[in-house]
């Protein structure tokens, strides 16, 4: 304990120097926890957008359709027959499911034409799986027996469409024959997902199926579960009870269908760690600098302590505790400041205007609390502080006591 | 064999290709309770001799024996242990730790020794502080003391563990004559009370007057060894 007391007192010898290095550490911690909070918040938004507007929690598809799904083919489709409906009703924690048929089309307003993704959906089922209805800014979602189209706000604005206008969809059927469909716009949605806003048009499932000549078949059946935590259980159930019976079917989670987004968030996480490591490297250099300066200033003291019979490792221990002490001060300041910063991100968020990363988020981004980030960065800081002090301390105590005391006559 | 014995101790320093002999074959014996002064002009080898005796440096040739045991075969940790248990040091520049109080500076010497409880440590520290006349200043920091008081603290720190030998390198060099007399009186008293062996390096006539034995060095060799 005496050595600890001595080391702690030593930190007060040059308060400014101690504080400057501690502040560098603190800023590293603040940066890490805030960036981590924001990345996790952004990640949460990305993932919610994928689940709420693109894939649901799970998708049941034909195994041959899945690898080519980006091309929106109309082959290898899936039939929602009575047996399948019965099997799906037994999936644990299943809240709702909906068949949908996605196909590529051009939208035409009489003057201009744009390529879009058209989605044939059952309006009633759709609103139980996806959150389109919550984001309607005009009109309403069509019901099963209605006709009509719902489109994204940006697309509507770009094409000059308003409620009640008729849009023309130009597409090819399952047999490769050109066809057109004219539908009245009954709703406009403005969602947090830019993909939906920019290039999606929803039309009734039966109408799409008839126009495409897909014989009531769907490109996928999207499913929403009661909670995110039951995905694996439900997926396993479907694998064992549905896919096992119809082996050309396959079940994928939202993560499988949003691999690009998942990969991007992983890259962001790596970036976060690299930047933080750089901060902490600077802090480590600061600590090495502080310990070297302290050792140089106290070289006679070191000689005196060795003369008194203190062993080298005991002196190294003093310097290591000093390094650790700087780390602890930096960690406390950094955690408090970081806590305030994360609180602000969680409650007020940041307005990341249209990030051009191809990530499905357009709304204000809020941070999330992540206690493990605090624990990780503090533990990392303390280890770095401890390790950074070993070398200069070892260098200082390696001197012979007589040289340290300057006692050569 | 006496408490301390030096046998043909030589110390040669190398500065590049030049060899400088700081001690040239010094032999001497010191008995328990002696109050010895090593005198000589600057560069005569006083501090080098003290460094050898204090196990702070190893001789180039020859051997130093402490209670009959040669020190040249000991490793760093064994030497540290030997210094911790047997030797006390008083430095010209006091070398007190500025962030510790007077009490804590002395306490440090005892904390290094095993098997001491806090109560015993406190008793011993206060006893030695009272003995050197600083009983009331235990809570002061070194920067709140005069030069003489600092040197008394250094003496107390060297003596508190009751070492066999106290080595003092120019202990009065930074003190005025009145303070030097005070400090010397303390050391003489401790020598008489505790029978601690004192070895000083000095060229201060006051210190030499107090010594019972004066070893005179010149160019690294003993030119006189006088007992009073």
């Amino acid at each position: 304990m005496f050595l600890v007391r001595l080391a702690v007192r030593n930190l007060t010898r040059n308060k400014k120097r101690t504080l400057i290095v501690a502040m560098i550490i603190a800023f590293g911690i603040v940066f890490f926890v805030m960036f981590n909070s924001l990345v996790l918040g952004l990640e949460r938004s990305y993932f919610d957008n994928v689940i709420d507007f693109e894939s649901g929690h799970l998708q049941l598809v034909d195994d041959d359709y899945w690898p080519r799904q980006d091309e929106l083919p109309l082959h290898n489709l899936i039939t929602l027959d009575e047996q399948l409906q019965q099997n799906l009703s037994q999936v644990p924690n299943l809240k709702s499911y909906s068949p949908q048929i996605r196909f590529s089309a051009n939208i035409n307003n009489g003057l201009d034409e744009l390529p879009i993704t058209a989605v044939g959906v059952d309006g009633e089922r759709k609103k139980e799986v996806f959150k389109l209805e919550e984001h309607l800014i005009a009109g309403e979602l069509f019901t099963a027996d209605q006709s009509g189209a719902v489109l994204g706000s940006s697309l509507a604005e770009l094409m000059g469409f308003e409620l009640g206008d008729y849009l023309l969809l130009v597409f090819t059927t399952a047999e490769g024959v050109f066809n057109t469909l004219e539908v009245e716009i009954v709703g406009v949605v403005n969602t947090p997902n830019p993909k939906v806003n920019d290039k999606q048009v929803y039309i009734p499932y039966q109408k799409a199926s008839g126009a495409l000549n897909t014989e009531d078949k769907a490109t996928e059946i999207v499913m929403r579960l009661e909670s995110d935590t039951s995905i694996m259980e439900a997926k396993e159930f479907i694998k064992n009870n549905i896919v096992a019976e119809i082996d050309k079917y396959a079940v994928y989670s939202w993560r499988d269908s949003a691999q690009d987004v998942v990969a991007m968030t992983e890259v962001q996480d790596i970036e976060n760690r690299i930047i933080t490591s750089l901060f902490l490297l600077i802090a480590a250099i600061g600590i090495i600098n502080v310990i070297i300066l302290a050792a140089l200033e106290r070289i006679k003291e070191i000689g005196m302590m060795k003369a008194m019979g203190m062993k080298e490792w005991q002196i190294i221990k003093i310097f290591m505790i000093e390094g650790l002490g700087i780390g602890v001060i930096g960690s406390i300041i950094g955690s408090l400041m970081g806590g305030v910063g994360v609180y602000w991100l969680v409650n007020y968020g940041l307005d990341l205007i249209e990030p051009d990363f191809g990530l499905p988020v357009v709304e204000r981004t809020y941070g999330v609390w992540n206690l493990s980030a605090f624990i990780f960065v503090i533990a990392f800081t303390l280890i770095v502080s401890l390790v950074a002090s070993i070398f200069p301390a070892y260098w200082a105590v390696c001197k012979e006591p007589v040289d340290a005391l300057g006692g050569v006559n | 064999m006496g408490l301390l014995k030096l046998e043909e101790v030589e110390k040669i320093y190398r500065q590049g290709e030049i060899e400088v002999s700081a001690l040239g074959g010094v032999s001497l014996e010191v008995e328990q309770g002696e109050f010895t002064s090593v005198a000589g002009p600057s560069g005569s080898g006083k501090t080098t001799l003290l460094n050898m005796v204090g196990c702070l440096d190893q001789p180039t040739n020859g051997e130093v024996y402490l209670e009959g045991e040669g020190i040249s075969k000991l490793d760093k940790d064994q030497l540290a242990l030997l210094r911790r248990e047997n030797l006390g040091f008083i430095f010209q520049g006091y070398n007190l730790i500025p962030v510790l109080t007077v009490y804590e500076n002395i306490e440090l010497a005892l904390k290094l020794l095993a098997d001491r409880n806090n109560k015993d440590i406190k008793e011993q520290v206060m006893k030695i502080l009272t003995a050197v006349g600083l009983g009331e200043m235990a809570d002061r920091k070194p920067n709140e003391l005069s030069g003489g008081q600092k040197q008394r603290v250094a003496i107390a720190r060297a003596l508190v563990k009751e070492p066999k030998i106290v080595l003092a390198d120019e202990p009065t060099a930074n003190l005025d004559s009145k303070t030097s007399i005070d400090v010397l009186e303390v050391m003489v008293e401790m020598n008489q009370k505790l029978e601690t062996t004192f070895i000083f390096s000095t060229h201060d006539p006051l210190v030499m007057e107090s010594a019972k034995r004066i070893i005179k060095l010149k160019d690294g060799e003993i030119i006189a060894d006088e007992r009073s």
Side-chain angles (χ1 to χ4, degrees), chain A residues 5 9 306-307 309 402 407, chain B residues 47 51 83-84 89 99 104 107:
Chain A
R5 203 194 319 163
R9 297 265 184 90
K306 290 182 93 169
V402 68
Chain B
T47 305
N51 288 339
R83 287 195 295 268
R84 185 186 294 181
F89 291 88
V99 289
E104 288 166 332
E107 187 190 16

Side-chain angles (χ1 to χ4, degrees), chain A residues 103-305:
Chain A
F103 59 102
S104 58
N106 281 353
I107 185 170
N108 190 304
N109 63 0
L111 292 170
D112 298 308
E113 199 165 282
L114 277 178
I116 52 105
T117 301
V119 192
V121 294
D122 178 337
E124 283 302 309
R125 283 178 178 274
K126 178 86 176 174
K127 64 187 179 191
E128 288 172 20
V129 178
F130 294 124
K131 294 189 174 171
L132 275 183
E133 197 173 30
E134 294 172 22
H135 297 275
L136 273 168
I137 54 170
E140 57 186 12
L141 270 184
F142 41 78
T143 55
D145 54 348
Q146 277 182 329
S147 177
V150 173
L151 71 164
S153 55
S154 305
L155 183 61
E157 193 180 339
L158 188 66
M159 298 296 285
F161 284 130
E162 288 180 5
L163 274 187
D165 288 349
Y166 280 79
L167 61 80
L168 185 72
L169 292 176
V170 184
F171 50 90
T172 51
T173 65
E175 294 85 17
V177 177
F178 273 99
N179 198 0
T180 59
L181 197 62
E182 194 174 36
V183 276
E184 184 187 354
I185 297 168
V186 296
V188 177
V189 288
N190 183 19
T191 71
N193 187 327
K195 268 192 193 173
V196 174
N197 297 346
D198 295 347
K199 55 185 303 183
Q200 299 244 36
V201 174
Y202 299 93
I203 59 171
Y205 182 78
Q206 294 303 337
K207 205 167 184 77
S209 185
L212 293 164
N213 204 12
T214 51
E215 298 168 351
D216 211 18
K217 288 178 178 173
T219 50
E220 63 260 312
I221 294 167
V222 287
M223 288 168 259
R224 188 167 196 98
L225 304 173
E226 294 294 347
S227 74
D228 294 356
T229 53
S230 47
I231 292 174
M232 289 315 292
E233 187 192 354
K235 191 177 174 183
E236 277 306 302
F237 180 89
I238 295 168
K239 263 187 186 171
N240 297 333
N241 296 281
I242 299 175
V243 176
E245 279 180 26
I246 313 168
D247 70 331
K248 65 173 188 155
Y249 287 178
V251 61
Y252 294 98
S253 73
W254 65 268
R255 265 186 184 275
D256 300 320
S257 55
Q259 279 178 346
D260 291 349
V261 175
V262 173
M264 268 186 233
T265 58
E266 281 168 2
V267 170
Q268 279 181 342
D269 193 43
I270 292 167
E271 278 175 13
N272 183 16
R273 281 167 199 269
I274 290 171
I275 294 168
T276 305
S277 300
L278 286 175
F279 262 104
L280 290 174
L281 181 70
I282 294 167
I285 292 167
I287 288 172
I288 291 171
N289 187 33
V290 164
I291 302 293
I292 288 176
L293 286 174
L296 285 172
E297 284 167 1
R298 280 144 50 189
I299 200 75
K300 281 204 166 190
E301 251 175 60
I302 293 169
M304 181 274 293
M305 289 195 275

Side-chain angles (χ1 to χ4, degrees), chain B residues 10 39 48 55 89 91 107 189 226 228:
Chain B
E10 263 189 290
T48 306
C55 308
F89 291 88
F91 301 100
E107 187 190 16
E189 197 185 330
E226 300 160 359
S228 58

Side-chain angles (χ1 to χ4, degrees), chain A residues 19-36:
Chain A
L19 201 64
I20 287 170
V21 180
M23 286 309 289
I24 294 171
I25 292 172
F27 279 118
I29 291 173
V30 169
F31 178 84
F32 179 81
V33 293
M34 286 185 70
F35 195 67
N36 177 272

